[in-house]
């Protein structure tokens, strides 16, 4: 793979890894909506999609007809596809830098204050008044917990109330730094270093590869 495509594919991934490492090295939990979490991930892999299936499967007649303007069609197409995924996915909240055992009592207290009829069934939480039913799904290596909607009958306003109340509760909570995130920081830094070296080693090759990919 030429240096330009390599930078386009791995640059956003490296930045995403550094972002995750910074979050997990913080002493504060971070709550984000499922929409925001998926959107950031979509941006992180956008370069891989552009240099992968989009570039490899690009029809030759389309390139001959539109030239460089074909990317003005493909990039919005990817953006529209990502927006569609965001619109159809079920409600979800992601809590970074917190384990399930640490989150559960905080979530239980918030749920009780929002809905007196809230009840647990294993790792599932039901808030009937808010019309919210969720399941706790964790990724222990990075101390991340996802609150994933269970069932089709969900209230988006109820999820919004839960998100605001849980975010307020987490603002007062401190956790030890997750040193495993140093691996992500090292990986992201290493990728950026290699990309910077490739650009500095032969900038003309990078420019030439860019012109070839864009059909300029």
């Amino acid at each position: 793979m030429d240096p330009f495509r390599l930078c386009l594919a791995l640059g956003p991934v490296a930045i995403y890894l550094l972002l995750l490492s910074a979050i997990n090295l913080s002493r504060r939990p971070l709550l984000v909506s499922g929409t925001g979490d998926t959107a950031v991930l979509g941006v992180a892999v956008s370069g891989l999609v552009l240099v992968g299936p989009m570039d490899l499967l690009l029809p030759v007649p389309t390139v001959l007809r539109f030239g460089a303007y074909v990317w003005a069609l493909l990039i919005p197409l990817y953006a529209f596809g990502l927006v569609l995924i965001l619109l159809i996915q079920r409600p979800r909240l992601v809590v970074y830098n917190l384990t399930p055992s640490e989150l559960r009592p905080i979530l239980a207290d918030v749920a009780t204050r929002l809905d007196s009829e809230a009840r647990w069934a294993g790792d599932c939480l039901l808030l009937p008044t808010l019309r919210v039913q969720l399941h706790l799904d964790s990724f222990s290596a990075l101390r991340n917990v996802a609150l994933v909607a269970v069932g089709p009958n969900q209230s988006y306003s109820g999820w919004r109330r839960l998100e605001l109340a849980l975010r307020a509760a987490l603002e007062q909570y401190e956790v030890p730094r997750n040193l495993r995130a140093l691996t992500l920081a090292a990986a992201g830094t290493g990728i950026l270093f290699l990309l910077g070296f490739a650009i500095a080693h032969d900038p003309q090759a990078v420019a030439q590869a860019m012109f070839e990919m864009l059909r300029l």
Side-chain angles (χ1 to χ4, degrees):
M1 184 180 293
D2 60 71
F4 175 73
R5 286 179 171 83
L6 199 62
C7 293
L8 189 60
L10 298 183
V13 174
I15 296 174
Y16 181 71
L17 293 177
L18 292 176
L19 177 62
L20 285 181
S21 67
I23 292 173
N24 282 275
L25 287 173
S26 172
R27 297 182 61 88
R28 295 282 187 180
L30 176 66
L31 173 65
V32 297
S33 66
T35 301
D37 187 64
T38 304
V40 173
L41 181 59
V43 173
V45 302
S46 60
L48 293 171
V49 175
L50 290 176
V51 303
M54 281 192 173
D55 188 33
L56 295 176
L57 302 178
L58 195 60
V60 175
T62 303
V63 176
L64 295 176
R65 180 173 182 179
F66 295 102
Y69 294 104
V70 71
W71 293 105
L73 302 175
L74 292 178
I75 294 176
L77 178 64
Y78 176 78
F80 292 149
L82 179 59
V83 170
L84 178 61
I85 293 175
L86 297 178
L87 291 175
I88 64 176
Q89 68 177 358
R90 291 183 178 180
R92 182 169 60 98
L93 299 175
V94 182
V95 182
Y96 286 94
N97 206 26
L98 207 63
T99 63
S101 60
E102 293 170 327
L103 175 63
R104 183 157 180 154
I106 301 174
L107 179 58
D109 179 64
V110 170
T112 302
R113 286 190 280 110
L114 291 176
D115 188 347
S116 59
E117 299 181 8
R119 56 185 182 273
W120 289 88
D123 288 331
C124 291
L125 174 62
L126 174 63
L127 294 86
T129 303
L130 296 183
R131 291 177 55 204
V132 170
Q133 184 175 354
L134 59 89
H135 170 75
L136 297 184
D137 189 13
S138 63
F139 182 51
S140 57
L142 290 178
R143 296 193 316 195
N144 297 343
V145 185
L147 284 62
V148 185
V150 178
N153 298 320
Q154 303 284 339
S155 170
Y156 286 93
S157 61
W159 275 91
R160 181 58 177 169
R161 289 182 59 189
L162 176 62
E163 178 183 353
L164 295 176
L166 186 56
R167 178 174 286 113
L170 292 175
E171 288 178 352
Q172 310 301 323
Y173 200 81
E174 288 192 7
V175 295
R177 303 183 191 278
N178 184 8
L179 297 182
R180 293 181 180 179
L182 292 174
T183 304
L184 297 176
T189 303
I191 293 173
L192 289 179
F193 176 80
L194 291 176
L195 296 179
F197 176 79
I199 295 174
H201 179 69
D202 194 353
Q204 292 183 349
V206 176
Q208 181 63 29
M210 181 183 68
F211 291 144
E212 291 178 356
M213 181 176 177
L214 296 179
R215 277 80 181 181
L216 296 177

